[in-house]
Amino acid sequence: MKNKYIYLIWFIALLPAIILRDYTPNNELRYLSIVDEAIRNGSFFTFTNQGEIYADKPPLHFWLMMTGKLLLGEHRMWYYALLSVIPALVVLIILSKWIREEEENVLSGDSGITQRHRGNQMTSPLMLMTTGLFVGVTLVVRMDMLMNMFIILSLYTFYKMFQGEGRKRDECLFPLYVFLALFSKGPLGMIIPFVSTTLFLLYRKRLPDFKKYWGWKSLLIILSGCIVWFSGVYIEGGNDYLNNLLVHQTVDRGINSFHHKEPFYYYAISIWYSLAPWSLLAIGLFIVGIVKKRINSTLEQFFATIILSTLVLLSLISSKLGIYSLPAIPILISLSILLLGKFNPQNGWIKLAVAIPAIPLILSLPALIYLSGTEELQYLANPFVYAGVGVLTLTGLLMIYFLYLKKRTYGAINTLAFGFLAAIFLLGLSIPQLNSRIGWGNLCEKAVELSEEHGIADYWVYNIKRAENMDVYLGKDIIKVDKEDILNESPKNRLLMLRIKDIQNDPDILAAVLNKTQYQIGEHAIVIL
């Protein structure tokens, strides 16, 4: 199957989630609120969230979101989703091309290996597009995949120049990609390419060539972009915003993080679920490749340098999240594909690394049947959820069949990937019934309807995290209240939004709302006081 058809299948699998999903409250709704404030305030380089400085992210992704809001007239999930889907597609295309070129150039001397790879070229994009962290970031409204695309573009451009295959314009494209990576998410967009390429030059004993890649031309392009950026920040936000951007969000987070602070070994643990369901195979091949000295081609050494330097670098930084390791994930999967061709795919440990993920897949449908029968998880009793999880169970059984009866390891890998994509498609169709538990769209829509029906001007909210970003749906700021406000009998005709578990777990609140008109929306309730 040609890669273009695989990309089409991947996009179709993601389509229901792209079209039907509500925004998540923690980050996506906040970004929408920030975009609304930026458009309302006419700001271009500086951003605020509920009037407070938000220098956490550079402007590029916000500019793309603002463009969509202005062109479409309202927030559209499908548009914002494309801001991650398109960069993910670019990463898939680049790495598939990169691996194909390596196989043709390096493995052509071994007819057995070459034939095996030519028969399984679709395995590379299939593994990457179904890697847990990669597909997860593709489906969320965040800057990470945009930064990852520019990092991969910069590394690919560097490698072509290193191999003497670069064009004249690559001398400008390389630093431009680095700056755009920085301009998409922050310092890691520049630090990861700088550290990995410098260490690779050192490893290959070509450090004197450093100026060829990081010389005056590269510095001029990166510094010019930064000067325009920081000047715009200073003009719009003054010294306070600039200091927050350059010191608080970089130095402070790197040395002694004010949030997401984790121990040094954090990524040694998170990498296992970030790479799922390929964790055992990818990490196993990487370790065995190092021990048995199978990482010997130039590209394999470059990939290994990127992986190790990125994970060590991230481990040294105080602020840690699993999503920060995204730049290493496509490279690690790509290296595992190259290394897989150097081993007999019928090796017992390779088959076991592929077979173990099949076990939870086989058990997933029985587990769902049990869980959906419990009171807490009744919402999982959805035909599309059953269908999607049923496909996963069937996929696990087919994997065992291909591995041990047909003795086709690549067939088992491809089966897992296609089964995973089919499950994503089916589970995506269940989203309309699950949106009330994903975001606040249905909750706020009902609140607006009730406020008009009862002539209520204000929206009260109790103990809902980041509820201030409901203004995206409500068109006005909410009023955060405490328990005393709810228990106070004097205010009349108030619309209150709160969590159902706060009603159930607090006898005072339960008594206060017991005889009031209530509406349950997912895990939340609307009460007319």
Side-chain angles (χ1 to χ4, degrees), residues 291-329:
V291 172
K292 291 186 175 293
K293 298 181 179 179
R294 297 293 181 92
I295 301 177
N296 40 40
S297 76
T298 303
L299 181 58
E300 291 165 355
Q301 292 171 355
F302 184 43
F303 280 174
T305 303
I306 296 169
I307 294 163
L308 293 173
S309 62
T310 299
L311 293 178
V312 171
L313 173 66
L314 293 173
S315 298
L316 293 173
I317 296 172
S318 177
S319 179
K320 297 180 181 68
L321 278 176
I323 200 170
Y324 294 168
S325 64
L326 179 64
I329 299 301

Side-chain angles (χ1 to χ4, degrees), residues 20-39:
L20 303 175
R21 183 173 67 82
D22 193 6
Y23 302 101
T24 59
N26 283 349
N27 284 306
E28 294 178 342
L29 204 60
R30 176 174 56 175
Y31 295 155
L32 267 59
S33 182
I34 290 169
V35 165
D36 285 342
E37 287 187 48
I39 294 174

